[in-house]
Amino acid sequence: MNPVLKLENINKKISDFFSLRDINLEFFKGEAHVLIGENASGKTSLMKIIAGFYLKDNGKIYIDNKEVKINSPADSKKIGISMIHQDFSLFDHFSIAENIFLESKKYSILSLKIIDFESMCSECDNLFAKFNIKLDSKTKVKKLSFAQKQLVEVAKAYVNKPKIIIMDEPSSSLTINESKILFNIIKELKKLNSVIIFISHRIEDLNAIGDRISILREGKIIFSSATLNLSEDKIINLMTGMDYSKRYPKLNIQHGREILRVKDLTSGKTFKNLNFNLYKKEILGITGLAGSGKSKLARCIFGIDKIKSGKIYLDNKFVNIKNTIDSIDNKIGYLSEDKYKDGLFLYLNIPLNITAPNLKRISNGYFIDKSFEKELTNTYTKKLDIKYANLYDNISQLSGGNQQKIALAKWIISRSKILILDEPTIGIDIASKVDIYNIINELVTKGSSIILISSDINEIIGMCDRVLVLYEGEISKTLTRENLSRDKIIKYMVKLGDNNL
Amino acid sequence: KNKASSPLIESKYSNEEYYMITFLSGIEYWKNCYSGFENASKAFGVKTIYTGSPEYDVNQEITILDQIIAKNPSGIAISCINPDAFETSIKKAINSGIPVVTFDADSPNSGRYSFLATNNRYAGEKGAKVLSELLGENGGNIVILTLPIQLNHEERTKGFVNAVKNKYTNLKVVKISNGRHDQTEAAKELSGILQSNNNIKGVFCTDSTSGVGAATAVRELNKIEKIKIVSFDTDNGTLDYIKSNVISATIAQGTYSMGYKSMNFLFKLNHDYIKKGIEPDDSVIPPFVDTGVDIVTKENVDNYYKYDLGIPKK
Amino acid sequence: MKESINNIFKNNLLVTYRKLSAIREMTVLISIIFISIILAIASPHFITKDNLISTTIGLSSDVIIVIGVTIVLISGGLDLSVGSIMSLSGITCGMLYLYGVNIWIACIISILIGTSFGFINGYFIGKIGLNPFITTLAIAGISRGLSYILTEGSPISLYGVPKSFSNISQSRIGEVPIVILVIFLVTLICDYLLRRSDFFRKVFYLGSNEKAALLSGINIKKIKIIVYVSCALFAALAGVLSTARFTVVTPSAGIGAEMRSISAAVIGGASLSGGEGTIIGAVLGVILLNIINNGLILLNVPVYWQDFVNGAILLLAVTIDFVNQKKRKELH
Amino acid sequence: MKESINNIFKNNLLVTYRKLSAIREMTVLISIIFISIILAIASPHFITKDNLISTTIGLSSDVIIVIGVTIVLISGGLDLSVGSIMSLSGITCGMLYLYGVNIWIACIISILIGTSFGFINGYFIGKIGLNPFITTLAIAGISRGLSYILTEGSPISLYGVPKSFSNISQSRIGEVPIVILVIFLVTLICDYLLRRSDFFRKVFYLGSNEKAALLSGINIKKIKIIVYVSCALFAALAGVLSTARFTVVTPSAGIGAEMRSISAAVIGGASLSGGEGTIIGAVLGVILLNIINNGLILLNVPVYWQDFVNGAILLLAVTIDFVNQKKRKELH
Ligand SMILES: Nc1ncnc2c1ncn2[C@@H]1O[C@H](COP(=O)(O)OP(=O)(O)OP(=O)(O)O)[C@@H](O)[C@H]1O
Ligand SMILES: Nc1ncnc2c1ncn2[C@@H]1O[C@H](COP(=O)(O)OP(=O)(O)OP(=O)(O)O)[C@@H](O)[C@H]1O
Ligand SMILES: [Mg+2]
Ligand SMILES: [Mg+2]
């Protein structure tokens, strides 16, 4: 069997400080080729070369044993390569259906290319039915939750029936249920003999659908095989060259008095009458299916979205949080899930990004203490092991994971009493995740309380003292550390209720 | 203060509306024309309205003219941005019995009854005359600040240049430059020029804004008296600069009488006291009236002060 | 459970969607009607054939221009060079004619020249990647400059040009000038294409999220170029038409057309951040602004008030529209 | 291992950073020097004290305006009303004086009036959330309109105004007019503030990603208002200064100032998409444009060429700069 896509001695200088070196890889039809590696190891860059966003310096790309020149995204599209990017490529103001059929539209008057929206929607509904995706094809994409968008991206890639499909961390914020959908879609694609290139930091994914695995490290392929039965530790060791004994270094800290109480919180549509509280030094997990209201809840508490009714108490005192300024004054911090839209200043440098919510700390109210800013930046870029070429480059030049780390860093510095982390480890490699968990622990020991919103069950189980499981905007169950278990969480996520346990 | 003025006397014509239409209607220049127009109207006890296109835009002015014609007024005095463009509309007006005269800027083939204006070329020539007298035998180099692409200013420039060529040979036009309707720009322009040719003796401005700009530039280079400025029109700014010797003279157009006579013609045409014709008697309307130009200098400057905004001069 | 929610959601959504798509044009249309009524009451001359026709002819060139400008705005761009391009193609048309070129050929050439400046815009913005504001501002300077250089400032008269040409704007069906009918038709066609055709859809994508457009393999460079070319094309058309109408061209033609048409488009619902707008809306915007100016004339408002009133109207219009939108948004 | 790499990074990066941040201003500065040399050769009069001083006086009001405009651009906004606000405050100053108000009080009041229009801009853009382009365009119309309404088009002459006032622009230390020194100082101060102060840092955040700025707890509404107010303040100052300089104010003053200053700012490295720009760069931009015009005059280029040349220069400048940047940002 000969490869559909073959990379031969691909070299690419990405920046003065990073380059891809002698990449040799083969991809076979009907196979899911899982590509893993720590942050900034070059996964996305390599894919961008295949998808025509970067031009390779040298080396050859073969499709069905014929060499091809890929000089632009259009070229690779022609060949039948499509890519799901780490940052979304969806159009917020347009319907789901239109986004999905963007590249394979239905025309009523073909010659004039007059678009036939009706048939597009019906077809989209069928597709959703087939994979039981519970979305309405006419909904505007901007109204979707993060993971829902991720699903739409996948569906979009699917309808194009590509020869080769690159998925750059498509599952990063999917719960098990949505992951199932994703895997079904991938299986379908396999049946169609597509090549699937699957980038993920979730090792469990790889056992679920991977046929082949390759590991990138500092721009070189250091391991590639068809055998999948590798232990997690082995993989981590291959990726990083280090061993991580414990992936969830949970500390048992005695938590203190109640510092946050949410009473009958009701937002417009998404959720009604939520009641819960948070203790000092506690890590409170919130999980639930895509669109269950996790982020909405966070956004309401942080004062981004308006709340209809309900009260928020800090240290037993009622506070009226009208906007983000209030919440930050009350020492609440919020790491948003969509870092590209509202987490980062992509075209500013690292220090500016990290100090954005911390101006009070580095300025005397009038002027900024540059040296302190620099010092602060350096300590935390080290602490989080953020890999950058140049401290003063735009962070748009950093790898996805490192951008995520920066988004996190600015809130770690902020010394918030309550820190709401919405999917904090999206796109972060296993090794670095451990660092981040350690930092979370450190914050907690220093007296902060954490609300950890995550769709990664292991993370939830591994790190949280208490877990709220949301289902369509209701707390379907509150689980304490003692009786946390995978199955329970899943059951309450889809609300089968106790009797089914 | 509504520009539709009320009649002075009770008259049976009090419902007649006479329009004055201009382009760049915002500028000072027209005010004198209109006050002439207005005062004349008081005698007949008719209404007058001043309107026009604020921008220098053919389409805009024609559209307005057409819309006025649609109101079927008693008469129209118009200053045309451009000669040819207005023919159709003016013809239309006249055919539907609306008397039309043009002032300041003509549309010769439009069949308008009369054209009342300073002959802009002549005005330019006058400017040359004044400057050459101011500078005496040995004369010197001259700069012209004008507004290119605006017809009447182009005319003034041409008049000046030709006069220099033919009559006032002691002068030499070394540069024609753009006042840009903005005194800051005009000042910039002139000071630049004065730097490059340090033997400039005189400046001729075809509009008052450039005049003020020029005056400032000269003042800031302490070349007052050394460089003679002849400007155009008689707004208080210009007059004040004449008082303080920065501007030597300015050319006052017969703008008032343009308006005044226009009104007279229109009313008489409307009531058939006069008509088109050949033999020159007072029953025939003259096709062209030169409203003449005066030279304003320090001697006679005080006669030209208007009271703008109802504020008496200090 | 979820189904039912979805259904409710769906129905709501369809309804609101209809509203949304309609409402922009509606608000403008309503204000037009409203003002017309007031004017009709205030002045007997407003609803006269002559006044209406002259007003319509007066706004015809603005309408042509606004179509192109709207397309550019939807693509997330901006074109400050339409006025200058209009005058330049008028000038070239006139000069070619004076140099003895057949007037119709002159038209075609001059339209091509005007359009080529659109291509330059598109090239610098699309291919090289410069900012539209600056690029078109520069091109505006260049093309206006050319008009001056070519004419040395004096207007060009096409005296004795064939009637067939000068009648373009005169000839009428019944009372209505043909030009107006044509423009009306063009408007409708463009509007339909904008809503339905694949190409214009891509323009919308480009406008609403350039990066995403790039990532989904849309050839944004090409689209940008086409967009600016077509904008210039409309401007050039306007230039030639007004040449035919006045049988004279001034290098100062079309001054201020950019801002007028952008205002109109925005009043008609286009967004300067791209991805929104309709042709009909924009055209209604033009009509609104022109009716208001007509009103100022009819009601003998002193000329000095025009700038002020136009500014106030613009501000009012966008504020109202914005508030409406906000209300609608808050349904979620 | 990692340490050492990081260190290498840091050292390199300081150097490169200096380069980067400098490069924009440098390119402009170099072109200024270059052109100056050419002019000096082409005309003996260029490097004369008088010429330099008068050129500097000539561009002083542009400099004042461009400072405000740059700040607005950095905040991701746009201000098309500076010219009109400039004229309005000039006009009000003049009229108040004619109505017998002490000239200095007149200045203060008129500056306040001008600034209040900046507040209106800020209010509609920041609080209500309208688009800057349209809002400031409307305000431009309104304030220019007011100038015309107040003066009915006539220039206002402040004949016999106290020397102390009219000398603002004349009085000198040694040879150099004080105004210039003051402006120079203001420029430096603003530039420093822009680089170092807490407030302007927020302006940068706002400009480069409004949403992220909001989530970082930055009071974007307040900042927007302040930004537009200060922009108007500078414009008003320019208005009063030129009143003092000419002792005559025309309602048409400051026409085209918006575009001039935006061009200058962009040439000086400001970006219309916000988050970039320096005061010094912008001021250098003004100087460049003015020197070029001065050059056109010295070299006796015909009037009709000015627009063309300016347009070409602008296009050239941004293209060059853009290409430089692109080199730096390679993969974007
Ligand atoms: N801008 C919006 N307008 C209207 N509805 C929205 C908007 N954003 C989200 N929603 C809806 O609110 C619900 C909750 O969204 P939210 O982002 O809180 O989900 P989530 O639990 O964070 O899901 P995910 O795991 O994908 O982040 C979803 O059903 C979504 O459709
Ligand atoms: N546009 C760019 N300019 C300069 N350097 C870049 C650019 N894009 C990526 N890099 C560098 O290339 C290296 C690899 O980045 P890449 O995005 O391929 O990593 P990755 O494997 O996808 O990491 P992650 O898992 O975090 O997404 C990083 O060091 C990054 O800083
Ligand atoms: Mg990546
Ligand atoms: Mg979420």
Side-chain angles (χ1 to χ4, degrees), chain A residues 294-336:
Chain A
K294 305 186 291 294
S295 303
K296 186 77 178 175
L297 176 57
R299 296 170 65 83
C300 286
I301 295 175
F302 192 61
I304 304 165
D305 293 358
K306 297 257 168 299
I307 54 176
K308 252 228 187 65
S309 66
K311 288 194 167 59
I312 294 173
Y313 298 86
L314 298 175
D315 292 327
N316 276 320
K317 280 189 296 302
F318 167 70
V319 289
N320 178 11
I321 295 175
K322 298 179 298 302
N323 53 38
T324 53
I325 301 142
D326 295 346
S327 48
I328 286 178
D329 289 346
N330 284 301
K331 292 239 156 286
I332 304 176
Y334 171 59
L335 171 68
S336 63

Side-chain angles (χ1 to χ4, degrees), chain A residues 243-256:
Chain A
D243 290 320
Y244 284 81
S245 51
K246 211 154 174 288
R247 279 187 58 195
Y248 298 101
K250 173 70 183 155
L251 307 179
N252 284 323
I253 301 167
Q254 188 50 44
H255 57 66

Side-chain angles (χ1 to χ4, degrees), chain A residues 39-40 42-45 86 168-169 199 201 340 399-401 427:
Chain A
N39 294 127
K43 303 182 294 298
T44 301
S45 303
Q86 254 171 319
D168 196 351
E169 304 184 24
I199 298 176
H201 290 297
Y340 293 102
S399 79

Side-chain angles (χ1 to χ4, degrees), chain A residues 146 294-295 337 422-423:
Chain A
F146 198 77
K294 305 186 291 294
S295 303
E337 61 190 335
D422 196 346
E423 313 280 357

Side-chain angles (χ1 to χ4, degrees), chain B residues 31 180 196 219-220 240-241, chain D residues 45 154 157 245-246 306:
Chain B
K31 291 181 73 180
R180 290 173 176 268
S196 56
R219 204 178 69 230
E220 285 171 351
D240 289 342
Y241 273 114
Chain D
H45 314 288
S154 329
S157 172
R245 183 176 166 211
F246 297 104
Q306 283 195 355

Side-chain angles (χ1 to χ4, degrees), chain A residues 14-15 18 37-46 54 86 169 201 387 396-402 427, chain D residues 331-332:
Chain A
I14 301 289
S15 72
F18 180 88
E38 62 183 323
N39 294 127
S41 54
K43 303 182 294 298
T44 301
S45 303
L46 180 58
Y54 296 169
Q86 254 171 319
E169 304 184 24
H201 290 297
K387 299 195 185 65
S396 60
Q397 301 183 1
L398 298 185
S399 79
N402 284 302
Chain D
L331 300 162
H332 287 280

Side-chain angles (χ1 to χ4, degrees), chain D residues 34-44 46 291 294-296 298-299:
Chain D
F34 181 70
I35 294 173
S36 308
I37 293 172
I38 294 178
L39 290 180
I41 296 166
S43 145
F46 178 67
I291 285 189
N294 188 254
L296 295 181
L298 295 182
L299 307 178

